[in-house]
Amino acid sequence: MKNNYKVNSKLVLLFVIACTSFGFSQSTDQVQIKKLYDTALTEGKGYDWLNYLSNQIGGRLSGSIQAQQAVNYTKSQLDSLGVDKVWLQPVMVPKWVRGTPEFAYFETSPGATTNVSICALGGSVPTPPRGIKANIIEVEGIEQLAILGKEKIEGKIVFFNKPMDATQIDTFTAYSNCVDQRYAGALEASKYGAFGVIVRSMNLRLDDYPHTGSMGYGDQVESERIPAAAISTNAAELLSTSLKLNPEIKFFFKQNCKQFNDVESYNVIAEIKGSTTPEEVIVVGGHLDSWDLGDGSHDDGAGCVQSMEVLNLFKKTGYKPKRTIRVVLFMNEENGLRGGNKYAEVAATNNEKHIFALESDSGGFTPRGFTFDSSDKDFEKVLEWKSLFEPYLIHSFKKGFSGADIGPLKKEGLVLAGLRPDSQRYFDHHHAENDTFEHVNRRELQLGAASMASLIYLVDTYGF
């Protein structure tokens, strides 16, 4: 009986010690995370960095002067943080130029025309110098091309008018369900003899802003390629209604875009070396390039400055990471993913050991949580941290897509994650003229940066 008492006493003591240790760990984490949020909201630099990127530099299309200015500026700001290393990683990127503003109208009868807002899709060929004028045929998706066949499409302009599904609460799901018409519409329509394509903008709101974005021609030779443009949602509605009243409407559009040879650009990289296991690398990043219509504040200036802010917050709060924390500002996500591929290639060549990568490329709106591309075991580990974020209203921890630029790093044992802000307003601005600094809220932006820093702190502290 006495022996059992002693054994039970030891078990109780061990249990108390374990509980005490766990409580201390939780308290330490809570204190550090609160410090990160407090500092981000009162001393953060991200909003000021974004102000400069947006209003002093502007749209940063790969291969442009503005993209190089953004490289120089972000490198200088990262240098000023006093981190251990800052460097540029060369990468060859495509250079596509929009040229003079596009022009379009539809004609209901000779001389009766209505101007509509369009913009060339990124990577498109130009129209002939005098533009294209032809009858127009409306479809709701690429799959309808085969149903209509060459007889009804040849010699016409194809109008892809599949809208984003407003019933989807996750607007990125709505986007992914119809973006194929933007990317591959011209390639597929050309097989049926179309002269050109007009694509409804990827936007849930009805407005007059056409939204650009990348498109591709596959392995088509130059002579087989047809021009492609996006049309604003208001104009798409008007055109669709007009076609129902008069199927013989003619459409005219003119664009002067041009593809040049690849040019050299750079990924911008900075890191704080780990204090105990520096060979283990944690990456956080966004893409520095943007489309040219707006200034790329949400897509993805926000993600870049939030990633830079992670290093700033660690420095300001005095946190010394165990593992190496590396910021990567990727070049050319929008029309090529060259920066993401180059970073992964160099990392593999150098045999670097990445354990975690986090990307922010969903805008600077209020953070709601994270998505994780990981094994079930690693995801269970992540879920243990969820309660630490609930005081900051970060509730959504789900398995799912992480980010385009960190995708090439994917391999067994590496956990990838993406910051997920509220998505309801994102596609109002995505790839459009109104993706501008005035539509970014400082507090929302900084909350996102603090959330990213907090997650990286936990990964650095506990690993997987």
Side-chain angles (χ1 to χ4, degrees), residues 40-110:
L41 293 171
T42 58
E43 301 178 55
K45 294 185 176 183
Y47 191 69
D48 293 332
W49 286 331
L50 185 61
N51 184 10
Y52 190 95
L53 274 177
S54 300
N55 293 320
Q56 300 303 314
I57 295 176
R60 306 169 296 280
L61 193 57
S62 291
S64 67
I65 292 172
Q66 290 84 357
Q68 184 57 45
Q69 289 173 336
V71 166
N72 297 339
Y73 173 69
T74 52
K75 181 181 183 299
S76 70
Q77 294 306 302
L78 288 165
D79 274 324
S80 73
L81 297 180
V83 296
D84 295 315
K85 187 179 179 182
V86 182
W87 72 100
L88 301 181
Q89 184 177 75
V91 55
M92 298 301 292
V93 300
K95 182 179 176 67
W96 178 84
V97 175
R98 182 174 302 280
T100 55
E102 302 85 348
F103 177 70
Y105 63 80
F106 64 85
E107 184 180 73
T108 50
S109 61

Side-chain angles (χ1 to χ4, degrees), residues 345-401:
E345 175 193 321
V346 173
T349 300
N350 294 340
N351 200 29
E352 293 181 335
K353 183 181 179 182
H354 287 72
I355 68 160
F356 181 66
L358 171 62
E359 184 168 340
S360 173
D361 186 16
S362 300
F365 299 103
T366 301
R368 298 298 188 199
F370 302 92
T371 48
F372 297 88
D373 184 354
S374 70
S375 67
D376 290 341
K377 182 181 178 182
D378 288 333
F379 185 59
E380 287 174 10
K381 177 77 172 178
V382 167
L383 289 178
E384 294 175 6
W385 305 329
K386 185 178 177 182
S387 63
L388 291 166
F389 289 88
E390 288 178 354
Y392 308 97
L393 304 182
I394 309 295
H395 296 102
S396 180
F397 280 53
K398 297 179 179 179
K399 293 191 73 172
F401 177 70

Side-chain angles (χ1 to χ4, degrees), residues 160-228:
F160 288 97
N161 193 32
K162 182 179 182 179
M164 289 176 65
D165 183 0
T167 67
Q168 294 287 343
I169 301 304
D170 178 6
T171 62
F172 283 90
T173 300
Y175 174 75
S176 63
N177 287 343
C178 63
V179 74
D180 62 332
Q181 64 187 343
R182 188 196 75 199
Y183 188 79
L187 171 64
E188 297 303 323
S190 67
K191 297 174 182 177
Y192 297 91
F195 281 178
V197 301
I198 300 297
V199 183
R200 183 189 182 98
S201 287
M202 303 293 109
N203 181 11
L204 282 158
R205 185 174 69 174
L206 291 176
D207 62 27
D208 296 315
Y209 295 106
H211 293 230
T212 191
S214 63
M215 54 84 64
Y217 292 107
D219 57 2
Q220 280 187 332
V221 298
E222 189 74 25
S223 60
E224 297 173 328
R225 299 178 178 185
I226 61 174

